[in-house]
Structure formats: C-alpha cells, structure tokens
C-alpha cells in the first residue's frame, strides 16, 4: 500500500489513451490512494464518466459551472484538498492552456488554482509532440516545477504511426506518483551528499561556448533520490533547462573550474556522485571581446587546454567522501573503459552507459547502465532515469550502512 491515504485528483483529457486511465485508476486504488476524477469534454468522447466513476468509486467532476459539482467540493477545494494531481492523458491542448495560465474549463481551472505537485503524462501524435509550440510549453511547465512521465516511443493507437507520443504505461505513472509522494524511510538521514549534473559551458568569447548534449536529467534524478532517502544533498548543476529538484540545495555554475570549486568547497561529505558531463577541455585564453570574422582570412584555430578532472580530484582528496561514484559515458568498450576509469579516478562505483547516438540516452529519459564495482559488473535492465537513480541511491545506502 505505497499510496495509502494519498488523495489524488486524476485529470483525464481528450485522447485515445484515456482508455488506459481506467487501468491507472485501478492501479492507484490498489495501492491505497483515493482518486477523484476530473474529465474534460474531450475525455468524455473517449471514455464515459460512468466507467470512470465506477472504477474510482467517486463522483466524476466535469463542469466548471455546475451547481452540483460546486456544491460538492468546488474547483478550489478540488485543486487543494489533494496530495497530488495526475494528468493522464495530457493533451497538447491542455498543456498549452496550462503553460499560458488559461482557465476556461474545470480541468484547466483546477490546474491554475492548485499549489500541489502535478504529474503530467502526455499523449499525442508524434508530430504534435515534436511541434515547437509543444516543446515551448513543456519547457515552460518544467520550469514551473511540474513533473513529466513519458511520452514513450511506439506505435500510435489511431494512426499506426511510430514515434514519441504514446502515454506512459499506467504502472510507470504509478511509480512516478510514488516517487513524488514518497514519505518512506530515511536511511540517509544525517548524511551529506554532493552531486554534479548537466553539461559545462566553456567560453570561447563572450557569446560563444563549447558544450555537450547532457540534459542533467540523470544527475538531477540522483540528487532527488538521495534527498528522498534523507540525505542532505547539494547539487552542483551546469546550465540545464530542467527545474531544480525538490528538497535539494542547488548551486548553478557554467564552467568546469567553477563546478570544481563549488564541489571542493562542500567537502567533507559522505557521498559524492559525479554525473556531470564536464568538458574535458576549455579554450586556453577565451577572448574578452567577440571574435570577428575577417573577410578573406582563414578562421584562427582554437587553443584548448585540459580542464580539472573533478571526479579524480574528489576521489583522491584528503577529505575523500566515504563513497565516490562516477559515470562513464562511452560509445564503445563500455565495460573495459568503465573499469579503467574506476581505478584511475579513485571511485568506488562507476555507472557505465553506452551513449552511442542510436541509444537516445544522452538527452533522453531512459538509461541502460552497467554498474561496475571493484569486484563485479552488473548489467541493469533498461530503466527510466528516475529508476536508475532510485536503484543507485539504494545501493549507495547499502554500501554506506554496511549492507
Ligand atoms: O573521463 P570521463 O569524462 O569519461 O569520466 C566521466 C566521469 O568523470 C563522470 O563521472 C564525470 O562527472 C567525471 N568528470 C569530472 N570532471 C571532468 C571529467 C569527468 O568530474 N573534467
């Protein structure tokens, strides 16, 4: 009963994936949650309020201007008397409304009136998901602190098209809800952790920089997972577009040297997890003014110099944390390179992953990793980055607490 006593408002908007919401209601209730459903007009074209009401054992809220609904709880109480709002499926239209603060029906009004955590499970045609307008809206909502699960790749129910747009499976949505509502045991209470995440930006001149494709999703998820287990976490993040994780002190930096300084200034700590994709090189002398193109002249080569290796510095520091974890993003020989890295950098664990472009891991939401210790190699199944984070946080806890 991982959701025992939790009150969830489930907003169902109008997409074919609404049929999966029926199963989602069952799964949430099986785990002890109560579910209050809100349906948009569109949703009612795909599944009936009768089915939603029967499965949730609740009144189904559909109208903003309904005397009956308003007398029952009213949209403001609907928005506040809950622990979590889940939107599944979330259409492009509902996300656009939310991103712009529109409130012209019950669902959008509840979403504007709430200060509770909101979990969004988008479902739409791949072209709609890839549209710049939708991307803008997702970025806005992420920055507003909403959490997303999915969409997943696969075949669309209506058109048979392939691509990103399928709603996440009900059990994955439940797991994401559990993570957001977690009030489980705190085996890392009293422990301190430092996590790095995201890329670094190494300036070429005041307007240009060298960067990489890291999104920060994995590092941020690890910081959040350690915090959920009770650790006092500092996240040192390079430039990313995702929100700071809840319950984590986040320090924003741009360059590798700034990241190193921020990390070292927070030692000693019990745990260090260095996930950032730190640029190996920076421009030796970045220009104070914008470098101008001169007609007829060949471009001048960039002189690079090596950046500090933050993981290696931490792994060999006099205040070395009890557990030092590194990542190894490789495109070939994942295991051998990971092992070599463990030794060279003085780490206890290396999480190695294959970031060849075809895996979609760099910048994506899923990850397929090998956990390399001094004595073993474990292949973990294909998991969401949140699940990798949870597993890693549990493993760190066991190692630290002598498990
Ligand atoms: O050597 P490589 O960049 O592949 O090592 C990856 C691991 O080292 C990651 O954990 C990364 O965060 C860390 N690293 C670092 N500072 C660097 C380069 C990598 O902390 N300058």
């Amino acid at each position: 009963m991982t959701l025992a006593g939790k009150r969830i408002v489930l907003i169902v908007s109008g997409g074919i994936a609404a049929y999966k919401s029926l199963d989602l209601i069952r799964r949430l209730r099986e785990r002890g949650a109560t579910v209050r459903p809100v349906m948009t007009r569109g949703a009612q074209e795909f599944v009936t309020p009768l089915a939603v009401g029967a499965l949730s054992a609740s009144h189904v809220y559909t109208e903003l201007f309904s005397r009956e609904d308003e007398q029952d709880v009213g949209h403001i109480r609907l928005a506040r008397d809950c622990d979590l709002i889940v939107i599944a499926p979330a259409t492009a239209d509902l996300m656009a409304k939310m991103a712009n603060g529109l409130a012209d029906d019950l669902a959008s009004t509840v979403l504007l009136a709430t200060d509770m955590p909101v979990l969004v499970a988008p479902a739409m045609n791949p072209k709609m998901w890839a549209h710049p307008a939708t991307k803008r809206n997702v970025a806005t909502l992420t920055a507003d602190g909403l959490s997303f699960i999915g969409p997943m790749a696969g075949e669309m129910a209506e058109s048979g098209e392939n691509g990103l747009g399928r709603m996440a499976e009900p059990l994955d949505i439940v797991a994401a809800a559990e993570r957001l509502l977690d009030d489980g045991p705190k085996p890392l209470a009293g422990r301190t952790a430092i996590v790095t995440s995201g890329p670094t930006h190494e300036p070429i001149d005041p307007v240009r920089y060298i960067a990489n494709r890291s999104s920060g999703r994995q590092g941020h998820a690890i910081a959040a997972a350690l915090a959920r287990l009770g650790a006092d976490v500092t996240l040192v993040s390079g430039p990313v577009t995702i929100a700071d994780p809840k319950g984590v002190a986040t320090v924003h930096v741009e360059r590798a040297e700034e990241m190193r300084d921020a990390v070292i200034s927070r030692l000693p700590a019990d745990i260090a997890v260095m996930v950032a994709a730190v640029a190996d090189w920076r421009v030796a002398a970045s220009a104070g003014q914008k470098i101008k193109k001169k007609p007829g002249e060949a471009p001048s080569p960039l002189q690079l110099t090596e950046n500090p290796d933050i993981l290696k510095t931490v792994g060999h520091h006099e205040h070395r944390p009890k557990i030092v974890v590194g990542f190894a993003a490789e495109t070939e020989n994942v295991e051998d390179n990971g092992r070599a890295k463990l030794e060279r950098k003085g780490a206890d664990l290396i999480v190695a992953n294959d970031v060849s472009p075809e895996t979609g891991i760099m910048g994506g939401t899923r990850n397929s990793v090998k956990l390399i210790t001094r004595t073993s190699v474990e292949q973990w199944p294909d998991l969401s980055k949140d699940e990798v984070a949870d597993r890693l946080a549990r493993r760190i806890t066991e190692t630290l607490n002598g498990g």
Side-chain angles (χ1 to χ4, degrees):
M1 295 296 254
T2 47
L3 294 172
K6 299 295 181 196
R7 299 159 309 159
I8 295 176
V9 167
L10 174 67
I11 295 181
V12 185
S13 60
I16 185 71
Y19 80 90
K20 288 196 206 166
S21 311
L22 299 176
D23 188 35
L24 176 61
I25 294 171
R26 287 189 48 219
R27 304 292 182 183
L28 291 169
R29 293 191 64 214
E30 270 168 15
R31 285 161 181 73
T34 56
V35 178
R36 254 185 194 161
V38 172
M39 296 179 75
T40 64
R41 288 259 162 83
Q44 296 169 61
E45 300 289 335
F46 291 95
V47 289
T48 65
L50 191 65
V52 170
L55 284 167
S56 59
S58 162
H59 180 76
V60 180
Y61 299 86
T62 54
E63 298 302 324
L64 181 56
F65 301 111
S66 149
R67 184 134 33 106
E68 195 190 317
D69 285 3
E70 283 297 305
Q71 270 168 0
D72 185 6
V73 284
H75 63 274
I76 298 294
R77 275 188 52 205
L78 209 44
R80 305 234 175 106
D81 283 359
C82 63
D83 301 295
L84 173 71
I85 299 185
V86 178
I87 317 173
T91 57
D93 176 66
L94 185 55
M95 294 193 320
K97 278 184 184 162
M98 273 194 286
N100 290 286
L102 296 183
D104 63 352
D105 65 359
L106 182 62
S108 53
T109 306
V110 165
L111 287 163
L112 192 62
T114 194
D115 51 6
M116 292 299 156
V118 177
L119 174 64
V120 188
M124 65 195 70
N125 176 278
K127 293 244 166 18
M128 292 168 83
W129 176 252
H131 195 283
T134 305
K135 284 189 177 160
R136 256 193 325 269
N137 293 333
V138 171
T140 302
L141 295 170
T142 306
D144 287 348
L146 280 73
S147 304
F148 279 80
I149 171 92
M152 315 303 290
E155 200 177 308
M156 299 294 111
E158 334 82 297
S159 60
E161 270 175 87
N162 259 298
L164 265 186
R166 277 178 49 166
M167 187 170 89
E169 293 304 321
L171 283 179
D172 289 333
I173 300 176
V174 168
E178 285 168 347
R179 277 194 294 278
L180 281 172
L181 289 170
D182 179 75
D183 48 12
K186 305 288 175 217
L188 292 179
R191 304 284 195 176
T192 50
I194 308 172
V195 180
T196 65
S197 183
T200 61
H201 284 185
E202 307 298 335
I204 297 170
D205 66 19
V207 297
R208 304 183 179 99
Y209 55 82
I210 300 174
N212 59 65
R213 295 184 195 282
S214 169
S215 65
R217 284 203 184 97
Q218 186 63 80
H220 280 51
I222 289 168
L226 292 169
R228 277 196 298 275
L229 294 181
D232 178 357
V233 183
T234 300
L235 172 66
V236 182
S237 172
V240 294
T241 55
I242 58 177
D244 294 349
K246 288 203 181 72
V248 169
T250 306
V251 180
H252 295 273
V253 297
E254 293 219 340
R255 298 180 292 112
E257 290 174 301
E258 291 169 349
M259 187 174 272
R260 183 232 12 231
D261 293 347
V263 168
I264 299 303
S265 72
R266 280 159 183 85
L267 291 177
D270 297 299
I271 302 161
V273 190
M274 305 288 99
V275 196
V278 183
D280 289 320
W281 304 284
R282 67 176 181 277
V283 177
S286 67
Q289 303 295 331
K290 183 181 170 195
I291 302 169
K292 303 296 282 182
K293 183 170 64 179
K294 300 206 186 74
E297 261 186 37
S300 57
L302 288 178
Q303 281 295 336
L304 299 180
T305 184
E306 205 168 329
N307 259 333
D309 189 321
I310 305 171
L311 173 59
K312 198 170 167 188
T313 309
V314 170
H316 295 97
H317 199 273
E318 57 168 322
H319 298 305
R320 182 188 188 278
K322 296 184 188 73
I323 299 212
V324 176
V325 183
F327 270 65
E330 304 288 347
T331 54
E332 56 185 2
N333 299 334
V334 175
E335 203 173 309
D336 289 346
N337 288 335
R339 270 186 186 289
K341 209 157 283 183
L342 182 99
E343 292 303 329
R344 194 168 68 245
K345 305 221 181 192
D348 302 294
L349 294 174
I350 288 280
V351 183
N353 57 4
D354 184 345
V355 291
S356 313
E358 61 274 16
T359 65
I361 286 171
M362 200 99 178
T365 57
R366 297 189 72 79
N367 209 349
S368 173
V369 307
K370 284 190 165 75
L371 187 77
I372 302 177
T373 73
R374 279 169 200 276
T375 52
S376 66
V377 178
E378 285 170 30
Q379 171 72 55
W380 286 4
D382 175 49
L383 298 166
S384 72
K385 288 184 176 175
D386 286 329
E387 288 162 338
V388 169
D390 279 338
R391 272 198 181 207
L392 183 64
R394 283 201 300 274
R395 177 59 81 93
I396 289 170
T397 309
E398 284 163 18
T399 314
L400 201 57
N401 294 348

